[in-house]
């Protein structure tokens, strides 16, 4: 089954404790992206990747890191999480930026 | 900067009536436009897209959207709403490809409520 898998689905943690949210897709997609969803703000793109080893900033990259060492994986790293990063996060992938995105089911992060 | 606006936080319609969810955009050059739907506790699902061609685009679940270049709009429509269409709808636009940008910009979302 074609899918984008995010883990964990839920996480409560404390300020400053490094965390990684994993994202994996099985569709051989080149374009992958991370978004955060906040009430009233819609989805905002954090980072995206055009292909292996090619990443670039979205609209809200501050406080986040990504890497794309393999085509299927695109982890999101919060080196020193802060409460303002409490949000619902989505990973997505597509053949290219002009093609429909396939979204994971989301990761709800709470940073205390 | 490129942007997309969804002017209505919520749209209420009765089942069986036509529905419209509005989206306007601001981009340089030709826009690449998308509609997505989000059901509770799920990720977004693709409905339809416009890149070039016919201004009326047909998509999944009976939805369609009309691209209007002069009004810079891409409104989502359905002739007869179902209660099961109740969800959160997002319009999205690709950032200006002329700038070699590969960003995607989403609107703030419109909640559609279809009452029986």
């Amino acid at each position: 089954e074609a899918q984008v898998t995010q883990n964990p689905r839920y996480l409560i943690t404390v300020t400053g404790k490094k965390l990684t949210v994993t994202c994996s897709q099985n569709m051989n997609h080149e374009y992958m992206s991370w978004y955060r969803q906040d009430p009233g703000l819609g989805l905002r793109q954090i980072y995206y990747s055009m292909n292996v080893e090619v990443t670039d900033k979205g609209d809200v990259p501050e406080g986040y890191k990504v890497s794309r060492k393999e085509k299927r994986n695109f982890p999101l790293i919060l080196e020193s999480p802060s409460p303002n990063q409490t949000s619902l996060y989505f990973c997505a992938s597509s053949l290219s930026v002009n093609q429909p995105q396939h979204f994971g089911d989301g990761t709800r992060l709470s940073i205390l | 900067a490129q942007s997309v606006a969804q002017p209505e936080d919520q749209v209420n319609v009765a089942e069986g009536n036509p529905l419209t969810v509005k989206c306007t955009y601001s981009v340089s050059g030709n826009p690449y436009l998308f509609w997505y739907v989000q059901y509770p506790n799920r990720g977004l699902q693709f409905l339809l897209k416009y890149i070039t061609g016919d201004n009326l685009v047909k998509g999944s679940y009976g939805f369609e959207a009309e691209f209007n270049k002069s009004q810079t709009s891409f409104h989502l429509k359905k002739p007869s709403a179902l209660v099961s269409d109740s969800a959160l709808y997002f319009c999205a636009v690709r950032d200006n490809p002329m700038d070699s940008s590969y960003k995607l910009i989403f609107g703030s979302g419109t909640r559609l409520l279809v009452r029986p």
Side-chain angles (χ1 to χ4, degrees):
Chain A
E1 179 189 352
Q3 58 186 3
V4 176
T5 304
Q6 297 178 226
N7 281 297
R9 292 291 314 279
Y10 304 91
L11 179 63
I12 301 174
T13 188
V14 296
T15 299
K17 186 176 180 181
K18 181 180 178 180
L19 68 91
T20 298
V21 185
T22 62
C23 174
S24 180
Q25 52 94 2
N26 63 359
M27 296 167 278
N28 202 34
H29 284 167
E30 294 194 344
Y31 186 87
M32 296 187 74
S33 185
W34 276 103
Y35 301 89
R36 60 178 289 173
Q37 183 177 10
D38 301 289
L41 297 177
L43 265 72
R44 293 179 292 168
Q45 194 172 38
I46 303 170
Y47 270 95
Y48 63 88
S49 169
M50 297 301 297
N51 213 326
V52 175
E53 302 291 4
V54 182
T55 64
D56 205 350
K57 297 176 181 178
D59 283 330
V60 289
E62 295 78 19
Y64 304 95
K65 284 176 58 177
V66 293
S67 67
R68 187 95 180 270
K69 294 185 172 61
E70 306 164 280
K71 199 170 189 178
R72 64 182 294 124
N73 295 323
F74 190 46
L76 179 70
I77 303 158
L78 284 72
E79 294 268 3
S80 183
S82 62
N84 64 12
Q85 293 177 299
T86 292
S87 187
L88 179 58
Y89 291 84
F90 288 100
C91 180
S93 73
S94 57
L95 283 170
S96 75
V97 68
N98 294 334
Q99 296 302 318
Q101 299 247 282
H102 294 250
F103 282 79
D105 284 335
T107 295
R108 187 167 292 281
L109 284 182
S110 294
I111 299 163
L112 306 176
Chain B
Q2 323 307 320
S3 64
V4 60
Q6 294 182 242
E8 302 156 316
D9 290 334
Q10 183 161 313
V11 170
N12 298 309
V13 298
E15 189 173 31
N17 282 0
L19 69 87
T20 298
V21 182
K22 295 180 180 176
C23 172
T24 59
Y25 63 90
S26 173
V27 298
S28 302
N30 295 321
Y32 293 65
L33 295 154
F34 304 84
W35 274 104
Y36 289 87
V37 60
Q38 184 182 29
Y39 297 102
N41 301 313
R42 299 301 304 275
L44 279 68
Q45 296 177 30
F46 169 75
L47 280 178
L48 49 81
K49 69 174 181 178
Y50 173 85
I51 295 181
T52 61
D54 196 348
N55 289 345
L56 185 63
V57 180
K58 293 192 182 297
S60 306
Y61 312 121
F63 283 93
E64 57 190 27
E66 187 169 10
F67 171 67
N68 188 317
K69 189 171 184 177
S70 62
Q71 296 186 1
T72 62
S73 67
F74 189 55
H75 300 332
L76 182 70
K77 302 183 179 189
K78 188 173 183 182
S80 178
L82 300 172
V83 172
S84 57
D85 292 330
S86 298
L88 188 55
Y89 290 81
F90 290 97
C91 183
V93 63
R94 181 191 163 178
D95 203 0
N96 184 9
M98 302 298 287
D99 291 338
S100 297
S101 170
Y102 299 93
K103 286 187 199 176
L104 283 169
I105 300 165
F106 281 76
S108 55
T110 298
R111 188 164 301 281
L112 174 67
L113 182 60
V114 182
R115 58 185 186 276

